[in-house]
Amino acid sequence: MKLIGIADTTFARYDMGASAADELKRTGTGFRIIRSTVPGIKDLPVACKKLIEEQKCDIVMALGMPGPKEKDRMCAHEASQGLIKAQLMTNTHIIEVFVHEDEADDDRTLAFLADRRSREHARNAYDMIFHPDRLAENAGRGLREGFGDAKPL
Amino acid sequence: MKLIGIADTTFARYDMGASAADELKRTGTGFRIIRSTVPGIKDLPVACKKLIEEQKCDIVMALGMPGPKEKDRMCAHEASQGLIKAQLMTNTHIIEVFVHEDEADDDRTLAFLADRRSREHARNAYDMIFHPDRLAENAGRGLREGFGDAKPL
Amino acid sequence: MKLIGIADTTFARYDMGASAADELKRTGTGFRIIRSTVPGIKDLPVACKKLIEEQKCDIVMALGMPGPKEKDRMCAHEASQGLIKAQLMTNTHIIEVFVHEDEADDDRTLAFLADRRSREHARNAYDMIFHPDRLAENAGRGLREGFGDAKPL
Amino acid sequence: MKLIGIADTTFARYDMGASAADELKRTGTGFRIIRSTVPGIKDLPVACKKLIEEQKCDIVMALGMPGPKEKDRMCAHEASQGLIKAQLMTNTHIIEVFVHEDEADDDRTLAFLADRRSREHARNAYDMIFHPDRLAENAGRGLREGFGDAKPL
Amino acid sequence: MKLIGIADTTFARYDMGASAADELKRTGTGFRIIRSTVPGIKDLPVACKKLIEEQKCDIVMALGMPGPKEKDRMCAHEASQGLIKAQLMTNTHIIEVFVHEDEADDDRTLAFLADRRSREHARNAYDMIFHPDRLAENAGRGLREGFGDAKPL
């Protein structure tokens, strides 16, 4: 039985953690989900590290929605660096799933994007612990999570 | 008995630590507050880490008011990265409560914002150690500390 | 028998890992290649660290293609810092091979660049573990990977 | 007997270390000063860490004068991050005292600023180890080192 | 017998390591030089750390020439942060000697600058292990490596 952590925020305007959890369950079995919710994305790094070290998660998804201002972009940058550091300290993957408000022009598209990116990364997280070969088969294939894939060169 | 650390600065133009401490006491019981005041926000990371490791705090609030200049924004960025690092080194949450001078147009609004953000994050800190379920219930609900909440998508 | 790790992404639009592996095999013997594919470049730091610590690689190549947007540049920056940190934590070289989409005006040139930079850095990686003297001979010679070399002053 | 470290640079255009040492002596007793001079501000983080770990300093002041160019601002940023990291690695405060050349319009004002900021931070350093209560009394009071204080809100 | 490490790159357009080594030999005795050449400046942090931990160097010089583009400036920033981190992890000084291509208008001046900065920092490195008092005497004297010194205030 593997443990998959899902860490998300009260700041986000969409329940990305629910999308991720739902998609994981549709994708396969053999795992249990442990959730943790924090105020904002800068609280995610230590939340993920605790899921790994205290809850023994085999992989963690970190979901968040940085706001549209310059200050928010800086927050996202700080959170991302913390997530990378947390991974290096634990030798465990943390899949960052961030949706920036300025990635979509209206709320409906933003909700669509938040849901879809969470789901596509949930499948990535699943594959990383159960089927790493699936990722290997897609090396250099221009895959994108959320919007459409890019064309391989 | 839990220990909640409050670290603040002499640089800030509002006694955010007092607001936080007052709100914590109104919110519940079962904890003791330990305070530490440093000159500026770049001194906060190690002050928080010492509250955690030397004073055995279960969670810490780091309160500060970065100035309005480009240089001040950089200071805030450096302080934030240090706070994230301190959390990763201790597996303990540090709630960053920063109010930027350019978030309000006049001193009165700035004081209002400093007080309210400190109080709302004090409740977050309280919930994180006593009622993590309350945060989980609000995952993806667009909560904001200080000004009004955002609309969930 | 030395172990050379190759970490790449499904995000990239060219199979740089295949180019690197092919070039390594043309360059010499005495090593075995271990591959690992992750979603994006921010997943590379811990993937490389795991190749070093769990798979015992003597050196690792980290290949990726950051997108053209400002946000992508930030991702590349975060990934690079993580790769440097992973090296410092393991005392092992990780050769970063990033090709930015805006380095070429059309897809054909971009593919050419991705292939050639991967191959030239594959030879660097090979030399670093088998012939460090070859690098020493070229100190300060203005070598470039991908496009043409620069003129020594 | 406490030990106070003073680390400064040959790059600075004012002997800030001398100002700091002089002010410390005027402020109180019960400590000994240990000095260390390095070429530039990027050499300060490890110099401070050595003062703490090898010379057993209880607190360190890191004094420097970043130049006026964009490149210099980046150096200051890198140095600041290193100083924060050094503090987190040692659980010891390092008071950063940087004076940027563009903070003053002429050399005379710059010298005044370098002297005064060094002295005011020397008193901060002294208080941090001997009278932390004095800092606590000034929480949120808008104190500034160098130029005049800001008005509390 | 002290050990001085010299780490440089094949990317640089001037053999700065040779200048540094030559100057060290003119400056004094009592040391042996150990050299290490890597592809680019981002490979320098771990190369320096290996010189310190595996080759037992007492101090290391890290020499490189970042290119003129925005991307190159970012590389230099990442390398600098890695060098500071390597120092903090080893309690050992690493003297960064970077020459940016845009610091000079023509190749001849750039070569002059690369040579002279390497030599002046070689004397700094020598003094740091054999005559720290010489640095202390020059605290706050506005010393610059490469071009002329600045005027003390």
Side-chain angles (χ1 to χ4, degrees):
Chain A
M1 181 64 68
K2 296 280 187 181
L3 295 178
I4 301 179
I6 293 184
D8 58 3
T9 69
T10 61
F11 184 100
R13 296 173 56 201
Y14 189 88
D15 191 352
M16 299 166 72
S19 299
D22 179 67
E23 189 69 24
L24 280 171
K25 286 172 204 152
R26 289 168 191 260
T27 305
T29 56
F31 62 87
R32 199 157 52 78
I33 292 171
I34 302 181
R35 292 190 62 164
S36 165
T37 303
V38 292
I41 50 173
K42 292 208 263 194
D43 305 305
L44 286 174
V46 75
C48 293
K49 184 151 178 280
K50 284 161 76 78
L51 282 170
I52 294 167
E53 295 186 335
E54 299 173 0
Q55 306 290 332
K56 308 298 169 199
C57 285
D58 297 284
I59 193 165
V60 177
M61 296 182 68
L63 307 120
M65 290 185 68
K69 291 183 231 155
E70 173 57 30
K71 210 164 293 171
D72 300 312
R73 249 191 297 280
M74 196 50 110
C75 279
H77 172 48
E78 292 155 0
S80 292
Q81 289 190 301
L83 290 171
I84 290 175
K85 216 168 294 176
Q87 293 175 74
L88 293 176
M89 289 168 92
T90 59
N91 274 8
T92 302
H93 280 285
I94 299 171
I95 304 293
E96 177 194 300
V97 192
F98 282 2
V99 173
H100 295 253
E101 288 214 22
D102 57 359
E103 285 189 80
D105 290 328
D106 56 87
D107 281 8
R108 216 178 128 187
T109 314
L110 197 58
F112 164 85
L113 182 62
D115 177 65
R116 189 157 153 183
R117 186 169 292 160
S118 302
R119 291 182 183 278
E120 297 195 358
H121 267 308
R123 292 200 293 273
N124 278 340
Y126 180 86
D127 285 348
M128 287 177 87
I129 46 174
F130 292 110
H131 292 289
D133 50 300
R134 286 189 198 156
L135 286 144
E137 282 161 24
N138 283 309
R141 299 296 300 159
L143 301 196
R144 296 292 183 271
E145 289 79 16
F147 290 123
D149 292 336
K151 226 178 29 182
L153 296 175
Chain B
M1 181 63 68
K2 296 280 187 181
L3 296 178
I4 301 180
I6 293 184
D8 58 3
T9 68
T10 61
F11 184 99
R13 296 174 56 204
Y14 189 88
D15 191 350
M16 299 166 71
S19 300
D22 179 68
E23 189 68 24
L24 280 171
K25 287 174 204 151
R26 289 168 191 260
T27 304
T29 55
F31 61 87
R32 200 156 51 79
I33 292 171
I34 302 182
R35 291 191 61 165
S36 164
T37 303
V38 293
I41 51 173
K42 292 208 264 196
D43 305 305
L44 286 174
V46 75
C48 293
K49 185 152 177 277
K50 284 161 76 78
L51 282 169
I52 294 167
E53 294 186 336
E54 299 173 359
Q55 305 289 332
K56 309 296 170 200
C57 286
D58 296 283
I59 193 165
V60 177
M61 296 182 68
L63 308 119
M65 291 184 68
K69 291 183 231 154
E70 173 57 31
K71 209 165 293 169
D72 299 312
R73 250 191 297 281
M74 196 51 110
C75 278
H77 173 48
E78 292 155 2
S80 291
Q81 290 190 300
L83 290 171
I84 291 175
K85 215 167 295 175
Q87 292 175 73
L88 293 176
M89 291 167 92
T90 59
N91 274 9
T92 302
H93 280 285
I94 298 172
I95 304 293
E96 177 194 302
V97 192
F98 282 1
V99 173
H100 295 253
E101 287 214 23
D102 56 0
E103 284 190 79
D105 290 329
D106 57 86
D107 281 7
R108 217 178 126 185
T109 314
L110 197 57
F112 164 85
L113 182 62
D115 177 65
R116 189 158 152 181
R117 186 169 291 158
S118 302
R119 291 182 183 278
E120 298 196 355
H121 267 307
R123 292 199 294 272
N124 278 339
Y126 180 86
D127 285 348
M128 287 178 87
I129 45 175
F130 291 109
H131 292 289
D133 50 302
R134 286 188 198 157
L135 287 144
E137 283 161 23
N138 284 309
R141 300 296 300 160
L143 301 197
R144 297 292 182 270
E145 289 79 16
F147 291 124
D149 292 335
K151 228 179 23 182
L153 296 175
Chain C
M1 181 64 69
K2 296 280 187 181
L3 296 178
I4 300 179
I6 292 182
D8 58 3
T9 69
T10 61
F11 185 99
R13 297 173 56 202
Y14 189 88
D15 191 350
M16 298 166 73
S19 299
D22 179 67
E23 189 68 24
L24 280 172
K25 286 174 202 151
R26 288 168 191 259
T27 305
T29 57
F31 61 87
R32 200 156 52 78
I33 292 170
I34 302 182
R35 292 191 61 165
S36 164
T37 302
V38 292
I41 51 173
K42 291 208 263 195
D43 305 306
L44 286 174
V46 75
C48 292
K49 185 150 177 279
K50 285 161 76 77
L51 282 169
I52 293 167
E53 294 186 338
E54 299 174 0
Q55 306 289 331
K56 309 296 169 198
C57 286
D58 296 284
I59 194 166
V60 177
M61 295 181 69
L63 308 119
M65 290 185 69
K69 291 183 232 156
E70 173 58 31
K71 209 164 295 171
D72 300 311
R73 248 190 298 280
M74 197 49 110
C75 279
H77 173 49
E78 292 155 0
S80 291
Q81 290 189 300
L83 290 172
I84 290 175
K85 216 167 294 177
Q87 293 174 73
L88 293 176
M89 290 168 91
T90 59
N91 274 9
T92 302
H93 281 285
I94 299 172
I95 303 293
E96 177 194 302
V97 192
F98 282 2
V99 173
H100 295 253
E101 286 214 24
D102 57 0
E103 284 189 79
D105 291 328
D106 57 87
D107 281 8
R108 215 179 129 187
T109 313
L110 198 57
F112 164 85
L113 182 62
D115 177 66
R116 189 157 152 183
R117 185 169 292 160
S118 302
R119 291 182 182 279
E120 297 195 358
H121 267 308
R123 292 199 293 272
N124 278 340
Y126 180 86
D127 285 348
M128 286 177 87
I129 45 174
F130 291 111
H131 292 290
D133 49 301
R134 285 187 198 158
L135 287 144
E137 283 162 22
N138 284 309
R141 299 298 298 161
L143 300 196
R144 297 292 183 270
E145 289 78 16
F147 290 124
D149 292 335
K151 225 178 27 182
L153 297 175
Chain D
M1 182 63 68
K2 296 280 187 181
L3 296 178
I4 301 180
I6 292 183
D8 58 3
T9 69
T10 60
F11 184 98
R13 295 172 57 204
Y14 189 88
D15 191 351
M16 298 166 73
S19 298
D22 179 67
E23 189 68 24
L24 281 171
K25 286 175 205 152
R26 289 168 190 261
T27 305
T29 56
F31 61 86
R32 200 155 51 78
I33 292 170
I34 303 183
R35 292 191 60 164
S36 164
T37 303
V38 293
I41 51 174
K42 292 208 264 194
D43 305 306
L44 286 174
V46 76
C48 293
K49 186 151 177 277
K50 285 161 75 79
L51 282 170
I52 294 166
E53 295 187 336
E54 299 174 0
Q55 306 289 332
K56 308 298 171 198
C57 285
D58 296 282
I59 193 166
V60 177
M61 297 181 67
L63 309 119
M65 292 185 67
K69 292 184 229 154
E70 172 57 32
K71 208 164 295 168
D72 299 312
R73 250 190 297 281
M74 196 50 112
C75 278
H77 174 48
E78 292 155 1
S80 291
Q81 290 190 300
L83 289 172
I84 290 174
K85 215 167 295 173
Q87 292 175 74
L88 294 175
M89 291 168 92
T90 59
N91 274 10
T92 302
H93 280 285
I94 298 171
I95 304 293
E96 178 194 301
V97 192
F98 282 2
V99 173
H100 294 253
E101 287 214 22
D102 57 0
E103 284 190 79
D105 290 329
D106 56 86
D107 281 8
R108 217 178 127 184
T109 314
L110 198 58
F112 163 85
L113 182 62
D115 177 65
R116 190 158 151 182
R117 186 168 291 159
S118 302
R119 291 181 183 278
E120 298 196 355
H121 267 308
R123 291 199 294 271
N124 279 339
Y126 180 85
D127 285 348
M128 289 177 85
I129 46 174
F130 291 109
H131 293 289
D133 50 302
R134 286 188 198 157
L135 287 144
E137 282 161 24
N138 284 309
R141 300 297 300 160
L143 301 197
R144 297 292 183 270
E145 289 79 16
F147 291 125
D149 292 336
K151 227 179 23 182
L153 296 175
Chain E
M1 180 65 67
K2 297 281 186 180
L3 295 179
I4 301 179
I6 292 182
D8 58 3
T9 69
T10 61
F11 184 99
R13 295 173 57 203
Y14 189 87
D15 192 350
M16 297 166 74
S19 299
D22 179 66
E23 189 69 25
L24 280 172
K25 287 174 203 150
R26 289 167 190 261
T27 304
T29 56
F31 62 87
R32 200 156 51 79
I33 293 170
I34 303 182
R35 293 191 60 165
S36 164
T37 302
V38 292
I41 51 173
K42 291 209 264 194
D43 305 306
L44 286 174
V46 75
C48 292
K49 185 151 177 278
K50 286 161 75 80
L51 282 170
I52 294 167
E53 294 187 336
E54 299 174 0
Q55 306 290 331
K56 309 298 171 198
C57 285
D58 296 283
I59 195 167
V60 177
M61 296 181 68
L63 308 119
M65 290 185 69
K69 290 183 231 156
E70 173 57 31
K71 208 165 295 169
D72 300 312
R73 248 190 299 279
M74 196 50 110
C75 279
H77 173 48
E78 293 156 359
S80 291
Q81 290 190 299
L83 290 172
I84 290 174
K85 216 167 293 174
Q87 293 175 72
L88 293 176
M89 292 168 89
T90 59
N91 274 9
T92 303
H93 280 286
I94 298 172
I95 304 293
E96 178 194 301
V97 192
F98 282 4
V99 174
H100 294 253
E101 286 215 22
D102 56 1
E103 284 189 79
D105 290 329
D106 57 87
D107 282 8
R108 216 180 128 184
T109 313
L110 198 57
F112 164 85
L113 182 61
D115 177 64
R116 190 157 150 183
R117 186 169 290 161
S118 302
R119 291 182 183 277
E120 297 195 357
H121 267 308
R123 291 199 294 271
N124 278 338
Y126 180 86
D127 284 348
M128 287 177 87
I129 45 174
F130 291 110
H131 292 288
D133 50 302
R134 286 187 197 159
L135 287 144
E137 283 161 23
N138 283 309
R141 301 296 299 160
L143 301 196
R144 297 291 183 271
E145 289 79 18
F147 290 124
D149 292 335
K151 228 180 22 186
L153 296 175

